[in-house]
Amino acid sequence: QVQLVESGGGVVQAGGSLRLSCTASGLTFGNYAMAWFRQAPGKEREFVARISWSGRGLKYGDSVKGRFTISRDNNKNTVNLQMNSLKPEDTAVYYCAARRQLDLGSPDYWGQGTQVTVSS
């Protein structure tokens, strides 16, 4: 059974940092591009970042570019999201996603999400 499990969420002051991790199981991790999405209450799901199979190709949403960094470790089946200079508008549930295609179609698998709250 494929599982994506996020961790590292919590409460942080504006301007602070937080590191999210997602551990995958039940799939060949290196065959999947990995991504992070987020969704705040009452808002649409928003793309945050994605990383290609080998980790060489990176893409970020405009709202987080320059502040967030996505990385992966294929030996540990993990994808990380380092979040710096956090703003209250970053408050959301953050979801890890896996997709066999890089940027085509919807993700194949989703994690359950982890809450990130940025206080002002």
Side-chain angles (χ1 to χ4, degrees):
Q1 180 178 323
V2 174
Q3 284 194 323
L4 305 178
V5 181
E6 301 95 338
S7 63
V11 180
V12 65
Q13 292 271 66
S17 298
L18 208 59
R19 181 176 179 269
L20 306 183
S21 295
C22 172
T23 300
S25 61
L27 79 170
T28 303
F29 189 71
N31 288 345
Y32 290 84
M34 301 297 297
W36 289 94
F37 294 81
R38 67 187 184 186
Q39 187 167 24
K43 296 184 178 180
E44 297 293 323
R45 184 181 64 196
E46 179 186 15
F47 169 75
V48 175
R50 75 105 169 95
I51 187 167
S52 63
W53 309 272
S54 67
R56 295 181 182 273
L58 307 176
K59 185 178 181 180
Y60 297 93
D62 290 340
S63 63
V64 306
K65 190 173 184 179
R67 299 187 297 121
F68 291 9
T69 302
I70 188 171
S71 61
R72 69 187 296 161
D73 186 340
N74 287 356
N75 296 128
K76 298 181 179 180
N77 285 16
T78 59
V79 60
N80 308 120
L81 185 69
Q82 179 66 47
M83 306 185 294
N84 298 327
S85 302
L86 284 163
K87 306 173 181 179
E89 64 194 69
D90 295 319
T91 296
V93 177
Y94 284 70
Y95 296 92
C96 175
R99 70 204 312 171
R100 187 174 289 273
Q101 301 296 325
L102 184 59
D103 293 314
L104 298 177
S106 300
D108 298 305
Y109 304 104
W110 292 90
Q112 297 183 55
T114 186
Q115 177 71 48
V116 172
T117 301
V118 183
S119 64
S120 58

